[in-house]
Amino acid sequence: MAKKVVSNVKLGVFVLAGLLFLVILLYMIGKNRNLFGSNYVLKARFENIQGLVTGNNVRFSGIQAGTVKRIDIINDTLIEVTMVIDKKMSKIIHKNAVASISTEGLVGNKVVNISPSKIPDALAKDDDILPVKKAVNTDEIMETLYNTNSDVAIIAAGLRTTVERINKSSALWNLLNDESIPENIRISFASIRSTTGKAVKIADDLDKIILGVKNGEGSLGAILKDTSLVKNLNDAILTINKVGNEADSVTVEINKLVKGVHEDVSQGKGTVNALLKDSMMVKKIEASLDNIQKGTDGFNSNMEALKHNFLFRGYFRKLEKQKKKAQ
Amino acid sequence: MLTTASHKKVLHQLNRSFLNEVGGLSRFAGRFFNQAFRPRYEIAEFIRQCFVIGYKSLPLIGLTSFILGLVLTMQLRPSMVSYGVESQLPAIVGIAVIREIGPVITALIFAGKIGSSIGAELGSMRVTEQIDAMEVSGTNPFKYLVVTRVLAATLMLPILVLLGDAISLFGSWIGINIRGATSFHLYWTQVFDNLAFTDVLPAFFKSFFFGFAVGIIGCFKGYNSSKGTEGVGISANSAVVVSSIVIFILDLLAVQVTDALGLN
Amino acid sequence: MDQLIKPEINEDNQELNEPVLKIQNLFKSFGDNHVLIDFNLELKKGESVVVLGKSGSGKSVMIKCVVGLLQPDKGSVIMFGKNIPELDDEELDRIRAKVGFLFQGNALYDSMTVRENLEFPMRRTWIQFSQEEVKRRVVETLEDVGLAHTIDMMPAELSGGMRKRIALARTLILRPEIILYDEPTTGLDPITGKEIIELMNEIQEKYNTSSLIISHDMKCVQTASDRVVVLIEGRCYAMGTYKELTQNTDPKVNEFFE
Ligand SMILES: Nc1ncnc2c1ncn2[C@@H]1O[C@H](COP(=O)(O)OP(=O)(O)OP(=O)(O)O)[C@@H](O)[C@H]1O
Ligand SMILES: [Mg+2]
């Protein structure tokens, strides 16, 4: 009899454990799908929904915000997507937030992304229709790549002038050889030259890559699908641009500094004054140099990511081979 | 002449072995539905069978499920890495296990273990006249032996599938952590994030049918076992073979049905 | 052993002469295999009838038709005033509570202990027994067959003779009025066989049952029968007391008594 009770208890635990897992499973999915808790409805009208289906996730700046509830065809060029949004989001999503459709990862589901715009409008209410960002299609990506390409060219050109300016700055050269100026400043000045030089080279590289992609050396079809890749490219361009700007401002600072030092010396204010000024200037310059360094590092890591992306692997290998041959 | 004769013979064979089998099984299932839902209810025996069929199968199902999750993950990893979607591993394994591999593998192992034991047990009871003895004792052996086992198998397999899924996914988490590092919490979040009701519910419902198939076929084979100890062996063996095939057929049907219902 | 022979009782009491079991014109065939062809038999209250027949002559088929395990093709089996082949399950169960059946191969439930084997019919028959009654009767019946100590054993742990006794105890547990024995001594050594026959006689005495015994064991036929029926070619070929039949000159009958 006792044996029977024990086995009944075991059976009970067994069944409950199984059902518990089912409940957890359904609850977690339900939570993700927003079947529980209170919601409100937002809509967006797209020209092309790229295979979005009901039940797909809606994200607000990457935060899970809700799910797609319905998809209605309004007319041959407009499709209305009805989204169920978590009530918590009602204090965050504004009327002018932009909805767009993208893919999660390389082979992931479609998601609706809602991104805030810089100047927020009133908060979005139930049944509001959000503006949409047009879906990126192949032509547009080609255009983007072209623009990216010309952007990079401009940046590279800018960098080149910066380097020129530095190289031409006789004041700087004098400074570097002036033994009255502390060693650390001189080292900083020297490194700015090499850093900017590097930046130029990187920008050129990038330019080449993008050209290469456009000419079909990378798998263009794949690149178009891989949003993270495009993001990598864009990030790389942004950072290199920053580096250029930074380098530019450093050069300006240096020129200012040199001018100041010269003036002080010529007005007989003495080296002490000059040195005092120096140390402040030096800090400023050093900070700038640091930024440049970080920028190039960031750029390099983006480049690394690109290199490791399997789409580009072949391309980079080819580059290396060419280099070896050249040597 | 010869061809028509042999043709006839083949047809006859087919008629005997296959159609006869299908007809007999259908009638047996009909008898089950006819008897299952009217008194008397053999509740104590049903609970005992649940214990034997469900709880006692857990160690085997648990072990195989764990290894399945682990191996599946380790096998998938290289190709996932080469496509740069390693982070999707929990999602992919989760969907694969919950939707298909969990229910089918668990059902097949269940068929191997439970189908054969039901076939052998009822077969030997038939051969040694224990079933007749029950009948003379005023017990409806069909209710006492068949209904309880079929119901227990139908209800216990889904539970085993659920627990097997959980254990498989745990195994997969271990598999992921052999090479990489994903926290338990993150892992489950990723698994759940990529699942939909349409992944879980059809799989859950079809496992009832798998369980029913294993139970009814095991009982059919055992209950109608031919005399002699050889008959028992044949019952046990063919119970496993037939129920395994039927599981695959049902699985195929389930895909079609969920497709047709738009639940995929 | 004079207690075993009691034909006088039957003649004394007119009521006891009413047959408790009456088989009339029984036909049963499996495909082309015509096993029973117009079989007739009567069993009176308190009487022991032995059915003799060669292996495969259809003795088991006949006895299974009696308890409704097999449906005869034709004919009637009247027990307690009811025609067995025509009964529905519920009525059949009511009759079966009054009929014991000892299987040729014992048919003990080998997944259950001896106690559970004996309790099984008590718990499942339509007659309600109290918990105490079940316990008491299991012990009492086990004592009747002299195996009280095996109560918690599994059938597999018992010898063939012991298993036969347990099977007999299970047959007796509902205190049936008619007991059908299918070859109770086959497969046992002569001494054990004799013990079983003695046991059957004691039981008959104690519970005042009527017995239909299938056997081809002459010892059994000799000591346990009031009447002998010879089953040949699917019918009741000859009938009489053991003594009468030993004097029968028909070679087919004579075969059995050599
Ligand atoms: N369920 C069944 N299906 C088909 N044929 C059967 C069935 N049961 C018995 N038979 C056939 O009926 C005939 C009689 O069998 P039965 O078991 O009654 O013999 P028996 O007289 O009891 O023999 P034994 O002394 O060996 O027990 C046999 O030829 C057997 O093949
Ligand atoms: Mg027999």
Side-chain angles (χ1 to χ4, degrees), chain B residues 186-222:
Chain B
L186 175 64
Y187 172 77
W188 284 103
T189 311
Q190 282 176 316
V191 169
F192 288 138
D193 259 4
N194 289 281
L195 283 175
F197 287 121
T198 49
D199 295 322
V200 176
L201 293 178
F204 180 63
F205 288 130
K206 78 181 171 190
S207 54
F208 283 95
F209 288 89
F210 292 166
F212 177 76
V214 172
I216 199 91
I217 291 166
C219 286
F220 173 67
K221 290 292 179 180

Side-chain angles (χ1 to χ4, degrees), chain A residues 144 223 226-239 302 305-306:
Chain A
T144 316
I223 207 178
D226 191 349
T227 47
S228 67
L229 184 70
V230 173
K231 195 174 171 308
N232 264 337
L233 267 177
N234 283 333
D235 285 355
I237 292 160
L238 271 180
T239 40
N302 269 318
L306 285 177

Side-chain angles (χ1 to χ4, degrees), chain B residues 35 40 42 45 48 121 124-125 128-140 144 227, chain C residues 64 67-69 93 96 99 101 103-105 107-112 120-121 123-125 170:
Chain B
Q35 302 222 357
R40 114 184 227 175
E42 302 280 1
E45 177 64 9
R48 198 179 76 82
E121 192 185 6
S124 72
M125 288 185 85
T128 59
E129 297 181 312
Q130 291 178 49
I131 294 179
D132 289 338
M134 284 190 174
E135 196 160 348
V136 225
S137 298
T139 296
N140 180 339
Y144 185 78
K227 297 261 167 178
Chain C
K64 280 180 182 167
V67 286
L69 282 175
D93 284 347
R96 277 170 176 169
V99 180
F101 194 112
F103 283 86
Q104 194 168 348
L108 291 177
Y109 308 126
D110 34 40
S111 60
M112 303 180 196
F120 191 87
R123 295 199 187 284
R124 331 209 94 254
T125 177
R170 190 180 66 187

Side-chain angles (χ1 to χ4, degrees), chain A residues 4 7-8 10-11 14-15 17-19 21-22 24-26 28-30 32-33 35 57 106-107 109 310, chain B residues 47 50-51 54-55 58 82-83 85 98 156 159-160 162-163 165-166 188 192-197 200-201 204:
Chain A
K4 207 173 153 192
S7 72
N8 279 357
K10 282 180 185 168
L11 179 64
F14 166 76
V15 171
L19 293 181
F21 181 67
L22 179 68
I24 291 176
L25 211 57
L26 294 183
M28 293 305 280
I29 295 170
N32 287 344
R33 304 276 135 176
L35 276 201
N57 285 322
L106 194 59
V107 287
N109 295 316
F310 67 104
Chain B
I47 290 175
C50 284
F51 182 74
Y55 182 83
L58 187 58
S82 76
Y83 282 97
V85 285
I98 298 272
M156 289 301 107
I159 303 280
L160 283 168
L162 287 169
L163 291 174
D165 284 352
W188 284 103
F192 288 138
D193 259 4
N194 289 281
L195 283 175
F197 287 121
V200 176
L201 293 178
F204 180 63

